[in-house]
Amino acid sequence: MNKRHLLQSFLAASALCFGISAAQAQTPIKFQLDWRFEGPAALFTHPAAKGYFKAAGLDVAIDAGNGSGGTVTRVASGAYEMGFADLAALMEFHANNPDSPNKPVAVMMVYNNTPASVMALKKSGITKPADLTGKKLGAPVFDAGRRAFPIFAKANNIGAVQWTAMDPTLRETMLMRGDIDAITGFTFTSLLNLEARGAKASDVVVLPYPDYGVKLYGNVIIASPKLIKDNPEAVKKFLSAFAKGAKEVIANPAVAIESVKARDGIIDSKLETRRLQLAIDTVINSPDARTEGFGTVNAGRLSLMASQVSDAFNTKSRVNPDAAWNGTLLPSAAELNILKK
């Protein structure tokens, strides 16, 4: 073999080794959503599709979820390194599992307001929270709005109500059939599901929790304490890549939905774009979010929520907000400046 061939062989081997090294440099992160691949999932699928996670040295696998409680549990078990879950569900896990060595931690606020609301059909005669006294309400037992209803009831002097539990797929159907008087759920989920079942938006009364004295935070990005301890840079890079993608999602939801469609080809792109826009308008780019700043929390509000969750969920121990939240890994203020004024 002459020198030229030797050089070519060396360069080829070096390139191969570099490629292997580069691949090994990708930090794997399994990420669990709170729900199915619907509109709001674009917040995560878009930056993944654009290659922002990969460019940050992360190999992120995004899986659909079946509720915030499940997401928290799976991150706590070590099956997932990170996830997207309702902060109240995370706080409840902390307070009910005080001795757990792997309690997930919230590292970025995404839904500055809870998306929970009570929804009823206008023909029910329900127009305000007080009208719910004595009525039949329905929701899955794990629904965030149902779990937090005692807070909503206390804030609005609502008397006793009757609850009916059902599978999530039956919630809106039972309301349309008249089996129940009202439901709790995420506004951007249940309102569009009601429309899909024949209701007009003008036929639906929506009582959003944030509009009626309940300033609970909504969904947050959570991470396992092991990942935070062993590789805080990976968490920082994830949040930076996420913020970059989220800015584009907020600016152009219709384009961002394409990344969700790629994950679940049967979704209705037009419907999911509406769902995503509704989520942006009500809980992501909300007045509270613009006041506090995207990604961060207000300490006083966080502390109040911890106390409210402790009482409403009747937890084994009181929620410690400082244990559930870690804002030290957030991107710079410039990177978090993504909301449209």
Side-chain angles (χ1 to χ4, degrees):
M1 185 179 290
N2 59 35
K3 291 182 178 180
R4 181 180 178 185
H5 286 155
L6 279 171
L7 179 60
Q8 289 176 335
S9 297
F10 174 76
L11 291 175
S14 297
L16 178 61
C17 289
F18 178 78
I20 294 174
S21 176
Q24 290 175 337
Q26 294 278 317
T27 301
I29 293 179
K30 288 190 67 178
F31 187 91
Q32 172 95 72
L33 293 172
D34 64 324
W35 198 238
R36 298 185 286 259
F37 285 111
E38 295 182 340
L43 292 164
F44 301 96
T45 58
H46 178 74
K50 295 288 284 186
Y52 296 155
F53 293 129
K54 186 161 287 187
L58 307 175
D59 179 16
V60 179
I62 302 171
D63 291 338
N66 60 356
S68 289
T71 299
V72 173
T73 300
R74 291 184 190 105
V75 174
S77 73
Y80 288 83
E81 286 79 27
M82 299 184 72
F84 190 49
D86 180 55
L87 181 57
L90 176 69
M91 286 181 166
E92 181 185 22
F93 184 89
H94 270 248
N96 283 340
N97 300 275
D99 299 324
S100 173
N102 197 43
K103 293 188 286 290
V105 180
V107 291
M108 176 181 271
M109 180 58 60
V110 181
Y111 293 172
N112 188 278
N113 299 98
T114 176
S117 67
V118 174
M119 281 156 278
L121 299 179
K122 281 189 176 177
K123 63 183 181 181
S124 70
I126 296 171
T127 61
K128 57 187 183 299
D131 297 333
L132 296 170
T133 299
K135 296 293 194 294
K136 294 180 181 178
L137 271 67
V141 293
F142 58 82
D143 175 70
R146 177 171 178 171
R147 300 302 310 282
F149 186 80
I151 304 173
F152 181 77
K154 183 177 181 180
N156 294 281
N157 297 312
I158 300 170
V161 301
Q162 300 176 49
W163 281 100
T164 298
M166 75 284 289
D167 184 87
T169 58
L170 295 176
R171 171 171 35 196
E172 292 80 18
T173 299
M174 290 181 70
L175 180 63
M176 292 294 291
R177 285 197 316 224
D179 296 335
I180 47 182
D181 300 310
I183 59 175
T184 58
F186 281 8
T187 307
F188 53 73
T189 297
S190 290
L191 180 59
L192 298 190
N193 288 349
L194 285 168
E195 288 185 27
R197 286 159 177 76
K200 295 179 181 179
S202 58
D203 295 333
V204 182
V205 176
V206 181
L207 306 175
Y209 281 24
D211 291 357
Y212 290 90
V214 181
K215 290 294 186 179
L216 297 176
Y217 283 112
N219 281 34
V220 291
I221 295 175
I222 64 175
S224 72
K226 185 178 187 303
L227 180 64
I228 294 173
K229 180 183 177 182
D230 295 347
N231 199 344
E233 284 303 313
V235 180
K236 289 181 180 180
K237 290 175 180 177
F238 182 98
L239 298 181
S240 291
F242 169 79
K244 181 178 181 180
K247 183 176 184 178
E248 296 176 358
V249 172
I250 292 170
N252 199 335
V255 170
I257 284 297
E258 295 173 8
S259 65
V260 183
K261 184 76 170 179
R263 303 282 183 137
D264 185 349
I266 67 171
I267 68 164
D268 181 330
S269 296
K270 185 176 180 180
L271 177 68
E272 296 308 327
T273 299
R274 283 187 60 209
R275 195 189 308 277
L276 175 57
Q277 187 65 64
L278 192 56
I280 291 170
D281 293 342
T282 58
V283 299
I284 299 173
N285 192 22
S286 66
D288 286 331
R290 291 193 294 272
T291 297
E292 294 181 9
F294 180 78
T296 63
V297 298
N298 173 278
R301 189 176 157 198
L302 183 72
S303 181
L304 175 60
M305 178 175 175
S307 179
Q308 290 176 322
V309 168
S310 299
D311 293 337
F313 292 20
N314 192 27
T315 55
K316 292 180 181 177
S317 62
R318 304 295 294 180
V319 176
N320 178 2
D322 295 329
W325 170 260
N326 180 350
T328 66
L329 303 174
L330 287 169
S332 66
E335 291 175 274
L336 291 175
N337 186 23
I338 69 172
L339 300 180
K340 298 167 70 176
K341 303 298 183 183

